[in-house]
Amino acid sequence: MTRYAWLQKHPTPAARAGEFHWYPSGGDRELQAAFAERLPSANGGTLWQLSGDEVAWALPFVAVAADGRRYTGLALAVADSLAQLAPAAGAPWTDATVEPQPATPPVLPDLAGVARALLDGGSAAVGDPAHPGLPRALAAVERIMPARGARRGTWLAGTARAGADRVAELAARAVVAPDSRAARGWRLACELAGAGRSVDEVVEASTAVSRAWITTLNAWGRGKIADDVDALADRVALRVLARLVADEDPGWAIAEARWHALLPADRRAELLTAVARRAGTLKALIHG
Amino acid sequence: METSTPRRTALFVDEPIAELRGLAALTDPDDDVAAVIDLAVMGARGDGKTQFLVHAIRALHGRAPALAGGEQELNLAMMRLVLDPRAQRPDATPPGVVPHFTFRVRAAALFERVGWRSSFRLASRVARVTGLVVVACLLAATGLAMALRGPIAPAVIVGASGAVLGAVAALIARRRIESAGEIEIVFWDVAGEQIYSPNAADYHALLDRLVHARRRRAESLGRPYSFAPVLICNPIALGTFDEGSPYVRLRALLPMFASIDHHAARALIAINRYSVVDRICARGAPRDEVVEVTTRPRGESALPAQRVARELVREHCLDAEDGRDGQLALHYLRYDTAIRSTVDADPEAATLAYEYDDGPGTFSGDAHRRFLAWVSGLPRWTPVVASEEAPAAVVPPPPVPAPATAHDAWARPTGPR
């Protein structure tokens, strides 16, 4: 269910003398103050805020009050998730205001930009930020995001694309083709992130090329070097990720550990168990 | 090499009053400013808070210090209006937000523009040349007395010595005030309609936290600090005895806000649109009459007529004088925000038409000098001994949870309660 509140000067049952007020009164004043504070930086876009169990969506509108002065108000909508949210129209509340209905999601012009904004907070161009179906379009992107803290930003009008962003592009590919290698790569990156590592750091680490990888593994298997098995398992996981990002067969990275390194059976089992422990995606890959 | 980044310290790591935003964006100067002054500008909707800010910044010849982020954006928006009166007025301040605008003025610039009495006061307090001035005055008076009663030559020598000493005192004062540096004045835009609302306590608490944090840091740095509220009074909006007016309600609360500064409770009441006051309170007019005032910005259509009780205008604008209201030291500033205005009165019909032209002006008449004198008199210039460490940003206590609001706090668009 979506709850609504309006910041306006136009009369409502809560205030009729032209005061700048929230209607209905008595809502979450902290949330309302947070959005009111961001009003000057909205630049015509839609303000949003995501936390673990709540999504807030505020559409600014410009109106002229009864005293003839121009003002910028807000139509705020709060729901449990983006998929459930039906934003209010960007206009002051009046007696004629009706409950918004869910609308068809629009096509997002910059999916990668949106993914980046949902990952870290920030702005992205979404075409028409007042489109009533926009939350549902964004819900498809938010669905693949790892568990994050509170994020906030602004959805801007237009189709301008953000600069090159390897991680956001991967997320965008995962949204477009949920069964693709990119989608599996994104899931793996999210699984490997956490514990002090962001998705960006994981993807960045996966690009590091180790030319003597097979030799290193073999040396470890023969007891010539004393690397930690978890550190080696992490490198196997990152090699799998690198192949998925590059749209290549990830099984090759497992085959390196299983066959090419010529590890003794006990060492091989120890390493693959450690790799499988790191992520469900890897477990499925190892066990076929 | 001098750094280009602002040398400032955030006073609050987070908003101390969760439902009211404004303090987390505040920074305090790290450089050697002569004093910091916070002015909470309060006024009812449409009474002219923004106009006051614009006029005050122009009167001060204020300059914006190097700021960053939200503080800089707010200053830029205000400077646009200060420099271009035709610029679009900033949007009204929404409830739950208290923006601030940071400006600086050289103490020496104030010294030159505040008139003799205030200059002397500033010289005594900042430059501490009272002794020299007193001796100079005594010599001049003695010289004059000698000239009247005895030979003229010794009288001229004594009088001239006094004059020379006076000139030396003025030069020393000038130099010391010049070296005192700049005064940082921060204007807080406090929406009056929120002050007489259920949220009033939050606004009071916010200003209280502000003054507490500022004073703590000022004392640690050995820097004078002052806080004072400024209440805007628009004579046309005073209403009638039956209706009351936001100004009258805010005026009643003014001592509460002024007393937030424990060191001295002072406040300024700025009466704008003063050119209508004389005409409303015309000699011989019945005191209990209600006058209908039509306001019209030149070149635009007239605003709806406002009814105002003549006696209220007399009481709050014409007869109000500087003085004390209990512990509160109260000053009045009378000016017209317009650079040109005409007032046409029809005594028979008890109507008044006020046409004005806003421009890049500043406080009209004597108000300019009076405002500068009031500002320069705010800081306690007596030296403060700096403590060892400047306090870091105030970490607020966990916010007190708001009274439980049931899920029905939100309206359904089809039928809000």
Side-chain angles (χ1 to χ4, degrees), chain A residues 1-7 9 13 17-34 36-37 39 41 67 69-72 76 78 93-94 97-100 152, chain B residues 15 18-22 24-25 45-47 50 73-74 88-97 193-194 198-199 202 303-304 399 405-417:
Chain A
M1 189 182 87
T2 308
R3 290 103 63 195
Y4 300 94
W6 288 263
L7 174 64
K9 285 186 162 190
E19 300 97 321
F20 211 172
H21 67 286
W22 282 97
Y23 174 70
S25 51
D28 182 345
R29 286 182 54 212
E30 191 175 339
L31 179 75
Q32 292 172 349
E37 185 186 29
L39 201 46
S41 59
D67 60 7
R69 286 182 65 183
R70 197 189 79 108
Y71 75 95
T72 306
L76 177 67
V78 182
W93 180 91
T94 65
T97 302
V98 293
E99 180 158 7
R152 65 183 202 176
Chain B
E15 295 292 350
E19 298 85 3
L20 203 48
R21 303 298 170 118
R45 177 170 41 87
D47 270 3
T50 307
E73 284 171 24
L74 286 167
Q88 191 176 37
R89 293 173 68 177
D91 279 336
T93 307
V97 180
E193 60 204 71
Q194 300 300 322
N199 308 331
D202 290 341
L303 302 173
T405 50
H407 60 278
D408 63 356
W410 301 90
R412 304 296 298 156
T414 44
R417 285 165 294 280

Side-chain angles (χ1 to χ4, degrees), chain B residues 224-296:
Chain B
Y225 168 72
S226 295
F227 165 84
V230 176
L231 177 58
I232 310 297
C233 173
N234 179 358
I236 302 167
L238 282 174
T240 62
F241 283 101
D242 295 338
E243 298 162 357
S245 71
Y247 169 77
V248 173
R249 290 191 283 269
L250 288 170
R251 173 65 187 84
L253 292 171
L254 190 61
M256 291 284 298
F257 282 87
S259 64
I260 286 174
D261 191 344
H262 302 280
H263 289 211
R266 289 155 304 184
L268 180 74
I269 294 182
I271 305 171
N272 56 23
R273 310 281 178 210
Y274 193 73
S275 52
V276 298
V277 171
D278 274 337
R279 304 299 295 270
I280 291 174
C281 303
R283 188 186 292 262
R287 294 183 76 140
D288 57 353
E289 198 170 47
V290 171
V291 181
E292 200 168 272
V293 183
T294 308
T295 310
R296 190 163 78 90

Side-chain angles (χ1 to χ4, degrees), chain A residues 180-252:
Chain A
S180 63
R181 284 182 180 141
R184 287 166 69 197
W186 176 255
R187 278 197 296 278
L188 177 59
C190 293
E191 286 169 332
L192 295 175
R197 249 189 341 182
S198 67
V199 176
D200 287 86
E201 286 165 339
V202 169
V203 174
E204 177 61 32
S206 76
T207 59
V209 179
S210 173
R211 294 187 188 282
W213 172 236
I214 304 289
T215 313
T216 305
L217 268 186
N218 182 267
W220 172 78
R222 303 289 162 192
K224 291 180 181 168
I225 58 169
D227 267 6
D228 178 36
V229 67
D230 283 321
L232 290 170
D234 193 50
R235 290 173 68 181
V236 173
L238 292 174
R239 289 177 77 82
V240 172
L241 177 60
R243 294 191 70 84
L244 288 169
V245 171
D247 199 15
E248 292 170 353
D249 178 15
W252 182 262

